[in-house]
């Protein structure tokens, strides 16, 4: 039971290049998320998907696109990378507790540097 | 005002000490509250949910004060392994999203 797996762990891009971050979960969770984490900013939501076939923008969606390929997989694409997208990216999935609260399980993170 | 605010620290405490962190939130309609722990260069992991009546898990106690809109985390008998960043997380009742604080760094020294 791997939980949430994201790839790659590290990536260096040049400005203008494109890339896709992959994320898969094996916990049968409906909801999946992409966050970015920057020093002093905390985790900020980029996009989320409440269920297969649906996606919605979060707090900082500009410059990103997502695809919820199936229930397990949720990918994040940078079409034209910019230095401002240098960050650590976390994928997460969630399960609704009996209390009604969403509990997140995170992947190990992907460190992206854009030169 | 930020939606979730935490003192960034660092809090430097000796082993065995008791340390407490507070976190304030702005949305009075928020219903769900959590503390996550994040080790250096690792992913956040759920430490504990925070319930209205307060809850305890071993050396960790979490409390919610709705009137003053803050949650707290108390760590008793600190261990070296408690050194980490502690993230306060609150739901945005209006959007059903979770809002993360920037974290409070704890360093426990021998």
């Amino acid at each position: 039971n791997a939980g949430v797996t994201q790839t790659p762990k590290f990536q260096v891009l040049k400005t203008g290049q494109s890339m896709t971050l992959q994320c898969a979960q094996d916990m049968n969770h409906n909801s999946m998320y992409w966050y970015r984490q920057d020093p002093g900013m905390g985790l900020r939501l980029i996009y989320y998907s409440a269920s297969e076939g649906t996606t919605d923008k979060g707090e900082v969606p500009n410059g990103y696109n997502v695809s919820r390929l199936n229930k397990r997989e949720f990918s994040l694409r940078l079409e034209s990378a910019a230095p401002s997208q240098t960050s650590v990216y976390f994928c997460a999935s969630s399960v609704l507790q009996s209390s009604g609260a969403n509990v997140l399980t995170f992947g190990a993170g992907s460190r992206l540097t854009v030169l | 005002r930020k939606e979730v605010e935490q003192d960034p620290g660092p809090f430097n405490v000796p082993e065995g000490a008791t340390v407490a962190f507070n976190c304030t939130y702005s949305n009075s309609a928020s219903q769900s509250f959590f503390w996550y722990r994040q080790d250096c260069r690792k992913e956040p992991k759920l430490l504990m949910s925070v319930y209205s009546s307060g809850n305890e898990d071993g050396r960790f106690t979490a409390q919610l004060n709705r009137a003053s809109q803050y949650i707290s985390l108390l760590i008793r008998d600190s261990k070296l392994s408690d050194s980490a960043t502690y993230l306060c997380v609150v739901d945005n009742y209006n959007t059903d999203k979770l809002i993360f604080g920037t974290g409070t760094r704890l360093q426990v020294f021998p």
Side-chain angles (χ1 to χ4, degrees), chain A residues 19-89:
Chain A
M19 77 157 298
T20 300
L21 299 176
Q22 307 285 356
C23 176
Q25 52 95 6
D26 61 4
M27 297 175 286
N28 203 34
H29 289 173
N30 284 324
S31 299
M32 297 185 72
Y33 310 80
W34 276 104
Y35 288 88
R36 59 178 289 173
Q37 187 174 36
D38 303 290
M41 300 291 289
L43 281 148
R44 292 182 293 168
L45 182 64
I46 304 171
Y47 270 94
Y48 71 99
S49 169
S51 62
E52 183 180 349
T54 68
T55 61
D56 283 289
K57 295 178 181 179
E59 184 185 352
V60 288
N62 291 343
Y64 305 94
N65 285 304
V66 290
S67 293
R68 183 74 183 267
L69 304 169
N70 46 55
K71 191 171 186 179
R72 289 188 64 246
E73 298 172 289
F74 188 38
S75 62
L76 178 72
R77 183 161 177 82
L78 287 70
E79 291 291 352
S80 179
S84 60
Q85 294 177 304
T86 293
S87 188
V88 181
Y89 292 84

Side-chain angles (χ1 to χ4, degrees), chain B residues 4-8 11 19-23 34-39 44-48 59-60 73-75 78-89 100-108:
Chain B
V4 177
E5 289 199 75
Q6 297 182 249
D7 182 342
F11 284 63
V19 62
F21 312 133
N22 279 347
C23 164
F34 309 90
W35 284 102
Y36 277 71
R37 172 196 167 124
Q38 185 172 26
D39 293 295
K45 292 183 179 177
L46 178 68
L47 178 66
M48 56 199 305
R59 298 182 293 108
F60 299 84
L73 178 67
L74 181 79
I75 305 175
S78 297
K79 311 290 184 193
L80 294 176
S81 57
D82 293 334
S83 297
T85 296
Y86 292 84
L87 305 175
C88 170
V89 184
F100 283 78
T102 54
T104 297
R105 195 155 71 86
L106 171 66
Q107 184 67 49
V108 181

Side-chain angles (χ1 to χ4, degrees), chain A residues 35 37 40-43 45 48 90 97 101-104 106-108 111, chain B residues 2 32 34 36 38 41-44 46 49 87 96-98 100-102:
Chain A
Y35 288 88
Q37 187 174 36
M41 300 291 289
L43 281 148
L45 182 64
Y48 71 99
F90 288 102
Q97 289 183 326
N102 257 328
V103 175
L104 297 177
F106 286 88
R111 294 184 175 275
Chain B
K2 285 184 181 177
S32 303
F34 309 90
Y36 277 71
Q38 185 172 26
R41 302 177 79 84
K42 299 283 190 181
E43 73 272 26
L46 178 68
S49 301
L87 305 175
D96 198 29
K97 302 296 167 292
L98 294 177
F100 283 78
T102 54

